[in-house]
């Protein structure tokens, strides 16, 4: 069954037509039966490419995090795409995780936005209430500080020898909706040079461009990004997100 369905999918692609949804679901079921996680992931990725739905996106991103080669440093990048591609599947705990990761990275406005989505009102009683409230308070305080002082951080970041500060500051402007300014600062940082995981910075610029609606520039950059630790997957997924079919074939 695996051999035949892969042959049919390949033939459809060569003919320039989308593989049928039934065949892709069959491939996923074969992956489950064979306990072949790579095959299942391949099927889900193809379903997202040709028949995107929030269910498929949520499954794809969660399972990509489960790959043996996946690097946890990309958890925030993964959470960002999940929040954009599958917002209706996001539970409060998903937003809380995004908020905590964002605050740890210094992206307090992003953290506040995520917490406001997780709990638009009061945090309900429960064993985790104090911990969640601490995350919210930290995000709110940092976001308030950023709103007042973010512009003053530009000069200091530009004086730094490493461009990572400019990249991170630029993404903070993206979260504030100031896309042109944020993208410009991120480009400055990358041009200066990022010493640790420089391709991660390019990935973030790639999806910042996507969020700003600059599809052509975004796709061109994302196509240059590789890595088997999840970075290459995320670059490919952002391209898929931007290229989603207007109306998927039946």
């Amino acid at each position: 069954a695996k051999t035949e369905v892969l042959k049919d999918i390949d033939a459809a692609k060569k003919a320039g037509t989308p593989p049928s949804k039934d065949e892709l679901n069959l491939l996923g079921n074969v992956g489950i039966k064979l306990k072949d996680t790579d095959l299942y992931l391949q099927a889900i990725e193809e379903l997202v490419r040709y028949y995107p739905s929030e269910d498929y996106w949520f499954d794809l991103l969660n399972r990509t995090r489960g790959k043996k080669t996946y690097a946890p440093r990309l958890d925030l990048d993964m959470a960002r795409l999940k929040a954009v591609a599958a917002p209706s599947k996001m539970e409060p705990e998903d937003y809380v995780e995004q908020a905590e990761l964002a605050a740890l990275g210094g992206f307090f406005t992003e953290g506040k936005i995520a917490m406001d989505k997780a709990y638009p009102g009061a945090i309900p009683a429960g064993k985790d209430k104090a911990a969640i409230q601490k995350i919210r308070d930290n995000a709110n305080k940092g976001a308030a500080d950023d709103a007042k002082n973010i512009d003053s951080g530009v000069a200091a970041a530009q004086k730094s020898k490493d461009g990572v500060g400019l990249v991170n500051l630029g993404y903070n402007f993206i979260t504030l909706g100031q896309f042109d300014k944020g993208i410009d600062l991120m480009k400055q940082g990358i041009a200066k040079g990022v010493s640790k995981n420089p391709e991660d910075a390019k990935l973030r610029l790639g999806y910042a461009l996507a969020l700003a609606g600059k599809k052509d520039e975004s796709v061109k950059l994302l196509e240059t990004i590789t890595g088997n630790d999840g970075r290459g997957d995320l670059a490919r997924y952002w391209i898929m997100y931007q290229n989603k079919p207007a109306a998927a074939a039946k």
Side-chain angles (χ1 to χ4, degrees):
K2 174 184 172 181
T3 303
E4 288 302 314
V5 75
L6 284 171
K7 195 187 297 180
D8 290 343
I9 291 167
D10 188 51
K13 285 185 171 183
K14 284 179 178 174
T17 58
S20 80
K21 194 173 184 179
D22 287 343
E23 282 180 326
L24 294 175
N25 277 314
L26 176 58
L27 185 65
N29 288 333
V30 169
I32 291 170
K33 290 283 193 336
L34 294 176
K35 296 183 179 175
D36 185 337
T37 53
D38 288 342
L39 188 66
Y40 181 81
L41 198 57
Q42 179 185 343
I44 291 296
E45 182 171 334
E46 297 289 11
L47 282 163
V48 166
R49 179 175 284 112
Y50 294 107
Y51 306 96
S53 74
E54 294 196 17
D55 284 319
Y56 290 147
W57 267 114
F58 202 73
D59 196 12
L60 176 67
L61 297 176
N62 284 336
R63 288 178 184 272
T64 299
R65 276 183 76 168
K67 290 169 74 171
K68 290 177 182 176
T69 55
Y70 175 77
R73 75 172 193 282
L74 298 167
D75 283 350
L76 179 56
D77 302 283
M78 194 67 71
R80 286 168 173 164
L81 178 52
K82 193 187 292 185
V84 170
S88 74
K89 305 300 294 181
M90 293 283 283
E91 298 290 341
E93 56 264 30
D94 295 306
Y95 282 120
V96 169
E97 181 192 32
Q98 183 185 1
E100 187 170 24
L101 290 168
L104 283 170
F107 303 102
F108 295 106
T109 299
E110 178 181 6
K112 181 184 185 307
I113 291 167
M115 283 305 300
D116 288 347
K117 288 179 179 176
Y119 298 105
I123 297 167
K127 60 182 176 64
D128 297 325
K129 181 175 180 177
I132 295 170
Q133 187 64 51
K134 187 176 179 181
I135 294 168
R136 168 174 268 176
D137 291 345
N138 184 38
N140 286 346
K141 181 180 182 301
D145 289 343
D146 279 350
K148 292 177 188 173
N149 305 316
I150 190 168
D151 287 300
S152 64
V154 174
Q158 286 174 331
K159 288 175 186 172
S160 173
K161 290 181 179 178
D162 195 307
V164 68
L166 280 168
V167 173
N168 289 343
L169 188 62
Y171 198 83
N172 263 318
F173 277 103
I174 298 293
T175 65
L176 289 165
Q178 297 183 44
F179 294 110
D180 289 342
K181 186 167 189 175
I183 287 166
D184 181 56
L185 289 171
M186 293 179 82
K187 286 179 176 177
Q188 286 182 41
I190 289 168
K192 181 176 282 200
V194 174
S195 60
K196 190 175 181 182
N197 296 316
E199 292 295 296
D200 289 9
K202 290 181 184 176
L203 169 67
R204 286 159 197 156
L205 173 58
Y207 63 70
L209 288 163
L211 294 171
K214 300 177 185 290
K215 178 183 172 182
D216 291 346
E217 190 179 354
S218 171
V219 170
K220 187 177 179 181
L221 176 57
L222 291 167
E223 284 176 341
T224 70
I225 295 165
T226 58
N228 68 349
D229 55 1
R231 186 175 59 215
D233 292 325
L234 279 163
R236 192 171 65 256
Y237 297 163
W238 272 103
I239 292 171
M240 287 163 52
Y241 177 74
Q242 294 179 86
N243 286 335
K244 53 183 178 285
K250 302 294 181 187

